[in-house]
Amino acid sequence: MGKYTGKMIISDLDGTLIPRGGVISQENRQAIEAFVEEGGRFAIATGRTPEASAGYVKDLPINAPSVFFNGAMLYDWEKSQVLKTMPLTAGDEQQRWPAFARRCLQEFPEACLEVYTADNCHIITPAANDDPRLPHEYYRYAHTELAELTDTGKTPWLKFFACDQHAHLEKYVALAAEMGVAALGNGFYSEDNYYEFVARGVSKGAMVAAIRQQLPGIKIIACGDYLNDNEMLVAADVGVAAAGAHADTKKIADHVGCAVEDHLLAWTINNII
């Protein structure tokens, strides 16, 4: 038993645990290690895949179920084991998601469109459209023809992602509503130029309930900075937003902490827990 036994921190990565384009600070790393040594549980919640996250959180003591694909996967980091998935395409007998993707290819020629499955990130647009972040990520991705992914029973989609100008994404969202797929999924901006769809009812926040089933009685402190973190901050016992968080995220948080560059996780452990 330690002073943090019965408590858990779950943190978003980009803009929360890690400055965008940066690495985990030594201050955050040391604070998390001390938290875990005193009985605390630590997890991450991200839109990334486990593979993509590994390059950023290598050697961190992640000892609680973690959330990937913005809520479509719950994962045991210690055992490298998928605990639960919530596919975007489950029950899509009419194959409306592939049909939507096909229309997007036609109507948004500048976009980078990505289909995430449990084992890969499939980019269905030309390499010339690739998001500049991709070469700097820690995961495999492949340029794949959409035709190879249309059997969603065989290859379930966990997430459908678009990178484009914000004005174009507004039209993308309108097209999703027009074609009826918006009602099948949970759509949100994860950055000003990123829009993502996961399955209906899926979010980082929805997976908090699944974590509570895994760890009954745990007190959860959640940290985030953007709209896709809002449900998680509300579902947790305590929600902490970074100082540079989206205005709506700061509104729903119980606490607004320091800037990510000033070591938000260390601040949270020292001031909130």
Side-chain angles (χ1 to χ4, degrees):
M1 294 285 288
K3 64 179 179 179
Y4 298 125
T5 298
K7 296 179 181 179
M8 171 182 167
I9 296 173
I10 185 166
S11 177
D12 170 55
L13 288 187
D14 302 280
T16 303
L17 176 59
I18 307 167
R20 285 177 172 77
V23 297
I24 297 174
S25 69
Q26 193 63 25
E27 290 85 351
N28 276 344
R29 185 179 294 276
Q30 290 175 349
I32 293 166
E33 289 172 351
F35 174 75
V36 171
E37 286 174 4
E38 284 289 337
R41 297 279 198 144
F42 179 71
I44 57 175
T46 176
R48 298 177 183 273
T49 67
E51 179 189 17
S53 303
Y56 294 94
V57 300
K58 183 180 180 181
D59 300 328
L60 272 189
I62 299 172
N63 61 347
S66 293
V67 179
F68 296 94
F69 297 95
N70 274 315
M73 177 184 286
L74 190 66
Y75 187 81
D76 186 320
W77 192 266
E78 294 175 300
K79 296 180 180 178
S80 299
Q81 179 182 348
V82 175
L83 300 175
K84 182 178 183 179
T85 59
M86 301 284 285
L88 173 64
T89 51
D92 183 25
E93 292 86 0
Q94 299 179 38
Q95 297 288 282
R96 282 179 283 184
W97 283 108
F100 173 63
R102 194 171 296 110
R103 281 283 298 276
C104 290
L105 288 172
Q106 296 169 355
E107 300 197 19
F108 305 102
E110 298 176 3
C112 175
L113 300 175
E114 302 172 10
V115 173
Y116 286 80
T117 61
D119 62 352
N120 211 349
C121 166
H122 302 273
I123 303 173
I124 61 172
T125 41
N129 293 17
D130 282 2
D131 184 347
R133 83 183 195 285
L134 287 167
H136 307 289
E137 293 288 3
Y138 292 95
Y139 63 89
R140 294 169 293 113
Y141 58 89
H143 290 87
T144 308
E145 293 293 329
L146 177 59
E148 297 179 34
L149 302 169
T150 53
D151 185 348
T152 58
K154 179 181 178 181
T155 309
W157 298 11
L158 295 185
K159 184 172 79 168
F160 187 57
F161 171 97
C163 170
D164 204 343
Q165 298 176 39
H166 188 86
H168 294 176
L169 291 179
E170 291 177 348
K171 296 177 182 178
Y172 167 88
V173 174
L175 178 63
E178 175 191 322
M179 294 187 66
V181 292
L184 300 177
N186 178 23
F188 48 84
Y189 287 97
S190 52
E191 295 284 352
D192 186 64
N193 62 326
Y194 294 163
Y195 198 90
E196 309 187 22
F197 280 106
V198 290
R200 186 176 182 179
V202 166
S203 68
K204 293 181 182 181
M207 276 299 188
V208 169
I211 292 171
R212 292 192 193 279
Q213 291 178 343
Q214 296 277 331
L215 301 172
I218 200 82
K219 179 179 180 181
I220 298 176
I221 298 91
C223 301
D225 78 303
Y226 210 73
L227 301 176
N228 57 322
D229 299 315
N230 287 8
E231 291 185 41
M232 179 175 71
L233 268 58
V234 171
D237 296 289
V238 180
V240 180
H246 191 283
D248 289 344
T249 303
K250 290 195 282 190
K251 284 180 184 177
I252 59 91
D254 297 297
H255 302 276
V256 176
C258 65
V260 60
E261 294 82 5
D262 294 326
H263 326 298
L264 179 66
L265 269 292
W267 182 94
T268 299
I269 292 167
N270 293 331
N271 292 278
I272 302 300
I273 301 177

